[in-house]
Amino acid sequence: EAQVTQNPRYLITVTGKKLTVTCSQNMNHEYMSWYRQDPGLGLRQIYYSMNVEVTDKGDVPEGYKVSRKEKRNFPLILESPSPNQTSLYFCASSYDRTGPTYGYTFGSGTRLTVV
Amino acid sequence: SQKIEQNSEALNIQEGKTATLTCNYTNYSPAYLQWYRQDPGRGPVFLLLIRENEKEKRKERLKVTFDTTLKQSLFHITASQPADSATYLCALSPGGYNKLIFGAGTRLAVHP
């Protein structure tokens, strides 16, 4: 089944403790992206990648890092999480490296709570 | 400033009627506009994409229009069913940018 897999689904952590949210897609998609979703604010893009070893900032990149060492994986790293990073996170992928010319396939989400 | 606006109030309609959701944008010149469905606690699911040179796109009971003069897209669900109840997100791609920007969504409730 074609899908984007995120792990974990739920995570509670403490301020300052480094964490990684994994994202993997099995569709050989070029483009991958991370979004966070907060009530009333909609989905906001954190980082995106158009190809292996090519990443770029989205609209809210502060406090996050990403890497794209393999085509299928695009982990999101929070080096020192803070409470304002409590949110619902989604990974997405798309066939076209430019992203928006095809629909995005989203993962099921990771609900992160930083206390 | 650049904005995408969707009605924040829920849309309540009777089963069998046509639901119409609105997406307005300002200070963008989008090359593409997409619509997604999102159920509570789940990831958005892609429904339709329409290009700037297309006026209308259909898929089964769904229809999307795109008016670049009015800076507006309308999303229609005909013969609506309770299973259509969800939040619907509008997203656009600003010309020349490799990104998709989302509106906050409109919740649709279809009552039997």
Side-chain angles (χ1 to χ4, degrees), chain A residues 7-113:
Chain A
N7 280 298
R9 283 275 281 149
Y10 301 93
L11 179 59
I12 301 175
T13 190
V14 296
T15 299
K17 186 177 180 183
K18 180 180 178 179
L19 66 91
T20 299
V21 183
T22 63
C23 174
S24 181
Q25 51 93 3
N26 63 0
M27 297 164 282
N28 202 37
H29 282 174
E30 300 279 349
Y31 185 94
M32 297 186 75
S33 183
W34 278 102
Y35 286 85
R36 61 178 286 174
Q37 187 173 37
D38 302 289
L41 295 178
L43 286 157
R44 293 180 292 166
Q45 190 178 45
I46 303 170
Y47 269 94
Y48 65 94
S49 169
M50 290 192 288
N51 206 341
V52 174
E53 302 292 1
V54 178
T55 62
D56 208 348
K57 295 177 181 178
D59 297 314
V60 289
E62 294 78 20
Y64 304 95
K65 281 175 56 176
V66 292
S67 67
R68 188 96 181 268
K69 293 187 171 60
E70 306 165 280
K71 196 171 187 178
R72 63 184 293 125
N73 295 324
F74 191 46
L76 179 69
I77 303 156
L78 284 72
E79 294 269 2
S80 183
S82 62
N84 65 11
Q85 293 178 298
T86 292
S87 187
L88 181 57
Y89 291 86
F90 290 103
C91 181
S93 72
S94 179
Y95 172 76
D96 183 0
R97 66 172 55 199
T98 67
T101 59
Y102 287 82
Y104 285 15
T105 301
F106 281 83
S108 298
T110 295
R111 187 168 291 282
L112 172 66
T113 303

Side-chain angles (χ1 to χ4, degrees), chain B:
Chain B
S1 64
Q2 296 173 317
K3 280 196 298 187
I4 303 173
E5 291 181 331
Q6 296 185 256
N7 196 336
S8 58
E9 291 182 14
L11 177 64
N12 290 284
I13 65 167
Q14 212 62 32
E15 182 176 7
K17 302 290 187 186
T18 295
T20 299
L21 286 72
T22 305
C23 174
N24 294 304
Y25 58 91
T26 55
N27 295 327
Y28 285 114
S29 295
Y32 304 91
L33 194 143
Q34 302 186 16
W35 284 88
Y36 289 78
R37 170 187 172 134
Q38 187 174 24
D39 292 289
R42 304 184 73 95
V45 174
F46 171 70
L47 296 174
L48 281 168
L49 178 152
I50 187 165
R51 292 172 172 77
E52 61 179 335
N53 60 352
E54 297 175 317
K55 291 268 190 276
E56 182 180 298
K57 200 76 151 310
R58 292 175 185 261
K59 179 182 173 183
E60 298 172 353
R61 294 185 295 112
L62 309 180
K63 184 178 87 170
V64 171
T65 62
F66 192 10
D67 189 325
T68 55
T69 302
L70 288 179
K71 294 187 180 298
Q72 181 181 79
S73 175
L74 298 179
F75 177 79
H76 307 272
I77 305 175
T78 58
S80 59
Q81 306 163 0
D84 295 325
S85 299
T87 296
Y88 290 86
L89 308 176
C90 161
L92 60 81
S93 168
Y97 289 90
N98 301 325
K99 57 175 22 178
L100 206 56
I101 300 168
F102 285 81
T106 298
R107 190 162 59 87
L108 171 67
V110 181
H111 302 282

